[in-house]
């Protein structure tokens, strides 16, 4: 990726800051608008909600939102190039939600949580293209000293991540997915009888799910938008809904590359009666492919025949996998054999967990040889993820035995399991996908967990429960063990609920993507954000992957508390340990007392700023003053006050680097058991792009501290602590005018305090 940007792979974890690399089937959305406008119907969402309430009196109208397809439309503040106007953006999201709430419509927001491996190559191409776009953007700023028009719009750094937390802070249900979001959005819409899907992805025309609404055409003031009709599209194309998944694959999608289909398209174009010279080539391809598949039988053999038409040496399972990817849970297709359809519905994570537990199932059956065979999970049931039939006579047992008798029977069985294979029970109790031993007992996983541990949530399970387990069953106490997979499972639940940042991806996949930011490649004095924050990320990986090891094994981070302590333990000493561990990620553990004296958002900001002063030697005293004036003056300013200005390209670069650093801070906070509230580390608490531009330019013009801090004595007092933390840890800070040379030597401390006293004197005189 060159010196810095592009798809910089940097260790283990996942930033997930990508703009979705492929938006469905190329050209299909435009085709629908131009060639079959009847499929684009303007609808009133209030009226649809009222009709939905009549048809479904037991459930409110719900719209599931593909948030990754909406962030570009949500971000409308004027100044996007300066790092984001976050308070204004938060107000926009709040207004968006209020309009739907007033209409009685519930929103559920889905975010992409991974870059799927099948999309890796496309993701990299998109990052490279973004690098070129960013270079042109900086050239425009340097030439015109202003922000370009919307035609050059680039999402502010980390916008999707912070949007997720913004919506959660506004009380909305948000989901971070374990695979590409469009599949989970379509599945949720189908399974919950949703009123519709709001997004901008033509794949929602292919999935057989609830109606698809356009975010691009949404008029929020009237709550009207365009609803796309699959039925009308099929009528124009001369095919049925059953054909749509194959139609999408034969046009090229995320699974089937267009490069594999050129020969097939040529054959279709030659034989198509619908070819029209007034249409574009892409439109003619769509019509010709639809004509071709309308004439072939809907069967697996037809699919196999089509796969044979792919170029020599290509993967002959592409079409099969592509069609399968559009089948939602419970759906079947004539193109796919029915006996393996359900297998395709299991997510990768579920399949992996299922495979890992096969050995446990065999062990459990050896432990309980007296059980009847009906309780055993057959290979077919295992592949299809189905529950086995209950053991023979179990229904009669319910009627014949008392509740106490049944409980004694179950306890005896569980006791036997623990005595022989305690790890098997632990895996069962904590992993909802490890269900084979429970099937042998003929009861549900939740029943055994409630029976053994009590009705507790997974994130409430701690060492005491395991000790109580052995005492409850009359066993000799065994050492309290928290299996390593438990932390991955907990991180997974937090990931889905948008509570942590990147931790599940680190623990499960060992990957991280550093996406594009607004960074000027021509400014060689500021390293790329991926390199700036790499030492901090490495410390975070140490916490997650190496913590608790012997000091001799981990030289870099000797004595790191283990995850059991950071994530599960309680008490003031643990809180202090969490805070100290987070500061250690940024080499600031010696400044803990000073940082704790500040308000939480300011402390988090200073932690990040001090780290930047250490990592970026070109940062000046004026830069430091601008950052500190920003965070100290932001509190109390409304979104309306943060609007008009000239743009400095270096300030654009620094603002983007700092915002990207906030995501590293979120990652560290998640890894250390949340010593900060996540809300305290959000950009609307500490940053505004427009205000930073103002403070940066004021500072570099040589404005007085009185003007820079807006005459506020309280901010000057906070600035004392901030400068202590941010400067004493760095080697030196140079003024751009070379009047001051600040270093970390003892004589520098005197210089700093002279500077602070002068700032206090000026402010006090003005007051």
């Amino acid at each position: 990726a060159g010196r810095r940007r592009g798809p910089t792979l940097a260790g283990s974890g996942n930033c997930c800051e990508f703009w979705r690399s492929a938006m469905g089937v190329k050209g299909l959305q435009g085709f629908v608008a131009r060639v079959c406008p009847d499929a684009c119907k303007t609808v009133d969402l209030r009226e649809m909600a009222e009709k939905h309430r009549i048809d479904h009196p037991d459930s409110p109208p719900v719209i599931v939102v593909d948030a990754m397809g909406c962030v570009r439309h949500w971000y409308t503040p004027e100044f996007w190039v300066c790092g984001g106007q976050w308070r204004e953006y938060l107000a926009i999201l709040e207004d968006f939600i209020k309009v739907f709430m007033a209409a009685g419509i519930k929103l559920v927001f889905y975010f992409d949580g991974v870059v799927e491996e099948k999309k890796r190559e496309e993701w990299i191409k998109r990052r490279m293209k973004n690098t070129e776009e960013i270079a042109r953007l900086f050239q425009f700023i340097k030439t015109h000293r202003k922000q370009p028009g919307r035609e050059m719009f680039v999402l502010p750094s980390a916008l999707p991540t912070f949007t997720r937390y913004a919506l959660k802070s506004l009380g909305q249900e948000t989901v971070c997915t374990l695979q590409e979001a469009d599949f989970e959005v379509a599945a949720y819409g189908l399974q919950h009888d949703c009123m519709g899907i709001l997004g901008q992805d033509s794949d929602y025309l292919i999935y057989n799910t609830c109606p698809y609404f356009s975010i691009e055409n949404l008029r929020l003031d009237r709550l009207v938008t365009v609803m796309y009709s699959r039925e009308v599209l099929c009528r124009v194309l001369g095919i049925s809904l059953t054909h749509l998944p194959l139609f999408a694959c034969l046009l090229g999608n995320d699974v089937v590359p267009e490069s594999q289909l050129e020969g097939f398209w040529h054959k279709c174009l030659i034989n198509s009666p619908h070819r029209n010279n007034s249409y574009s080539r892409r439109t003619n391809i769509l019509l010709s492919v639809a004509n071709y598949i309308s004439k072939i039988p809907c069967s697996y053999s037809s699919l196999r025949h089509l796969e044979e038409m792919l170029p020599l040496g290509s993967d002959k399972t592409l079409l099969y996998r592509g069609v399968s990817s559009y089948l939602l849970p419970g759906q079947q297709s004539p193109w796919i054999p029915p006996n393996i359809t359900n297998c395709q519905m299991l997510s990768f994570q579920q399949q992996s967990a299922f495979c890992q537990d096969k050995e446990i199932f065999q062990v459990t059956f050896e432990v309980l040889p007296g059980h009847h065979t009906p309780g055993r999970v057959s290979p077919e049931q295992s592949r299809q993820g189905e529950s086995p039939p209950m053991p023979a006579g179990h229904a009669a047992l319910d009627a014949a035995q008392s509740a106490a008798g049944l409980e004694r029977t179950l306890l005896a069985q569980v006791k036997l399991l623990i005595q022989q294979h305690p790890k098997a029970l632990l895996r069962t109790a904590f992993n909802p996908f490890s269900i084979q031993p429970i099937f042998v007992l003929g009861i549900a996983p939740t029943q055994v967990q409630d029976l053994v541990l009590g009705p507790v949530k997974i994130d409430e399970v701690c060492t005491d429960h395991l000790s109580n387990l052995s005492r409850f069953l009359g066993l000799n106490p065994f050492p309290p063990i928290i299996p390593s997979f438990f932390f991955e499972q907990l991180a997974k639940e937090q990931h889905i609920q948008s509570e942590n940042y990147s931790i599940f991806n680190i623990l499960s996949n060992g990957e991280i993507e550093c996406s594009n930011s607004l960074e000027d490649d021509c400014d060689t004095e500021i390293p790329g954000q991926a390199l700036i924050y790499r030492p901090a990320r490495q410390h975070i990986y140490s916490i997650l992957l190496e913590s608790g090891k012997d000091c001799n094994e981990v030289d870099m981070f000797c004595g790191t508390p283990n995850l059991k302590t950071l994530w599960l333990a309680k008490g003031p000493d643990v809180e202090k340990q969490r805070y100290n561990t987070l500061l250690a990620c940024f080499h600031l553990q010696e400044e803990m007392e000073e940082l704790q004296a500040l308000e939480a958002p300011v402390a988090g900001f200073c932690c990040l700023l001090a780290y930047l002063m250490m990592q970026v030697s070109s940062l000046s005293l004026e830069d430091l003053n601008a950052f500190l004036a920003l965070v100290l003056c932001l509190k109390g300013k409304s979104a309306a006050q943060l609007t008009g200005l000239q743009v400095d390209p270096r300030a654009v670069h620094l603002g983007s680097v700092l915002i990207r650093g906030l995501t590293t801070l979120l990652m560290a906070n998640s890894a250390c058991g949340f010593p900060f509230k996540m809300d305290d580390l959000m950009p609307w608490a500490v940053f505004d792009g427009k205000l930073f531009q103002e403070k940066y330019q004021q500072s570099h013009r040589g404005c007085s501290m009185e003007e820079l801090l807006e005459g506020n004595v309280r901010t000057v007092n906070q600035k004392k602590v901030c400068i202590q933390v941010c400067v004493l840890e760095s080697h030196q800070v140079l003024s751009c005018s070379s009047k001051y040379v600040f270093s970390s030597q003892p004589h520098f401390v005197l210089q700093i305090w002279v500077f602070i006293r002068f700032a206090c004197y000026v402010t006090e005189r003005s007051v």
Side-chain angles (χ1 to χ4, degrees), residues 105 134 159 194 264 347 360 399 407 422 583 633 652 764-765:
I105 300 172
I134 290 170
L159 184 68
C194 288
F264 174 72
S347 69
I360 293 177
E407 181 172 299
L583 295 184
C633 295
V652 169
E764 289 164 3
R765 290 275 302 201

Side-chain angles (χ1 to χ4, degrees), residues 537-552:
R537 289 196 306 270
Q538 289 172 337
H539 277 69
I540 295 168
Y541 307 151
S542 176
I543 293 170
L544 295 171
L545 305 176
E546 303 291 336
S547 67
K549 285 193 174 183
D550 192 346
C551 290
N552 296 327

Side-chain angles (χ1 to χ4, degrees), residues 19-156:
W19 176 250
R20 186 169 299 157
S21 54
M23 297 296 285
V25 181
K26 180 182 175 182
L28 181 57
Q29 198 90 43
F31 172 85
V32 172
R34 291 189 305 271
V35 181
C36 46
D38 289 345
C40 309
K41 180 183 178 183
T42 300
V43 294
D44 186 315
L45 296 179
R46 288 187 180 89
E47 293 178 358
M48 291 191 68
E50 187 58 38
K51 183 178 185 303
H52 189 278
R53 274 188 285 268
I54 295 172
D55 295 339
H56 304 82
D58 297 331
S59 60
V62 176
I63 291 180
V64 55
V65 183
D66 181 350
M68 291 297 291
C70 296
V71 288
R72 183 176 293 264
H73 303 279
W74 286 332
Y75 191 89
T76 57
E78 181 182 359
F79 293 104
W80 47 269
V81 79
C82 305
Q85 289 184 272
W86 294 96
R87 292 197 172 186
E88 186 177 349
Y89 181 59
L90 188 64
I92 289 168
L93 292 176
E94 188 171 14
D95 290 342
F96 181 88
I97 293 165
K98 285 180 179 177
V99 171
F100 284 90
M101 288 179 63
I105 300 172
K106 178 185 175 181
L107 300 176
V108 177
F109 298 87
Y110 270 76
F111 289 82
D112 285 315
V114 296
V115 178
E116 290 189 16
E117 203 56 41
K118 65 184 180 183
K119 294 191 175 184
R120 176 74 61 198
E121 185 176 347
E122 185 64 33
W123 186 90
I124 292 172
K125 290 178 182 177
R126 181 60 181 164
R127 302 287 70 75
M128 294 299 188
K129 184 179 178 182
N130 284 354
T131 301
E132 297 172 1
E133 295 168 351
I134 290 170
R136 289 193 294 271
L137 174 65
F138 272 99
Q139 186 58 49
F140 181 96
I141 295 172
K142 292 173 184 177
T143 302
H144 301 282
R145 306 293 293 186
K146 67 178 183 180
Q147 177 177 279
R150 192 81 177 184
E151 69 279 358
M152 296 183 74
F153 176 74
V154 176
L155 294 178

Side-chain angles (χ1 to χ4, degrees), residues 539-670:
H539 277 69
I540 295 168
Y541 307 151
S542 176
I543 293 170
L544 295 171
L545 305 176
E546 303 291 336
S547 67
K549 285 193 174 183
D550 192 346
C551 290
N552 296 327
E553 299 179 20
V554 187
D555 296 331
M556 178 184 72
F557 217 34
C558 180
T560 300
N562 57 37
L563 293 183
K564 183 174 70 173
T565 299
L566 289 174
W567 290 15
L568 302 177
K570 297 180 181 180
D573 289 342
V574 176
E575 293 296 332
K576 182 178 179 180
Q577 197 170 23
R578 289 188 181 111
Y579 202 100
N580 189 66
T581 306
L582 181 142
L583 295 184
C585 294
F586 299 93
H587 310 287
L588 289 169
Q589 57 269 41
E590 300 300 324
E591 311 302 328
M592 180 173 172
E593 185 176 344
E594 288 80 0
L595 283 166
Q596 286 187 313
L598 298 170
E599 295 178 357
V602 177
F605 184 90
C606 286
C607 176
L608 188 57
L609 184 53
Y611 177 83
L612 282 176
M613 299 300 292
M614 288 184 273
Q615 295 295 321
V616 184
S617 60
S618 62
L619 288 182
S620 67
L621 175 63
E622 287 82 0
D623 297 331
L624 173 64
N625 285 337
F627 275 121
L628 290 177
L630 160 74
V631 71
L632 295 177
C633 295
L634 180 62
K635 187 175 182 179
K637 290 188 181 292
S638 66
Q641 291 176 284
L642 301 169
T643 59
L645 86 164
Q646 199 177 42
V647 177
D648 184 283
R650 188 168 180 273
V652 169
H653 192 156
L654 289 178
S656 180
V657 168
L658 186 126
I659 288 295
R660 183 62 73 181
L662 285 176
T663 64
T664 306
L665 197 54
L666 292 182
M667 190 192 307
N669 195 50
S670 302

Side-chain angles (χ1 to χ4, degrees), residues 260-374:
Q260 302 283 308
L261 299 167
E262 285 288 347
F264 174 72
W265 291 345
H266 180 70
K267 178 179 179 180
C268 291
L269 286 169
I270 292 175
N271 299 317
S272 175
H274 301 294
R275 189 172 180 179
N276 189 325
N277 292 331
S278 65
Y279 288 156
S280 67
R281 182 174 185 269
R282 185 63 181 177
T283 297
N284 277 315
I285 288 174
L286 265 73
L287 292 169
S288 301
V289 168
N291 176 70
Y292 182 91
I293 64 174
S294 68
K295 302 182 184 305
I296 62 175
C298 293
S299 66
Y300 179 53
S301 59
S302 295
L303 187 76
R304 294 294 300 275
H305 175 71
L306 285 168
E307 287 176 333
E308 293 301 320
M309 297 171 62
L310 296 177
L312 290 174
S314 62
D315 184 352
K316 301 302 182 182
T317 67
L318 281 175
L319 293 181
Y320 166 79
R321 290 191 287 114
V323 171
S324 298
S325 70
Y326 288 108
L327 297 183
L328 303 178
Q331 293 181 344
Q332 293 186 345
S333 168
W335 311 104
I336 304 296
N339 61 323
I340 54 176
T341 298
N342 285 342
C343 184
Q344 299 297 322
M345 298 305 103
L346 289 174
S347 69
F348 174 79
Q349 289 77 10
Q350 287 172 304
Q351 291 183 57
S352 298
F354 204 84
C355 293
Q356 292 167 3
D357 288 325
K358 286 181 179 178
E359 183 178 351
I360 293 177
F361 165 68
Q362 297 297 336
V363 170
T364 305
F365 231 87
E366 292 170 8
V367 173
L368 300 172
H371 272 275
H372 298 289
T373 53

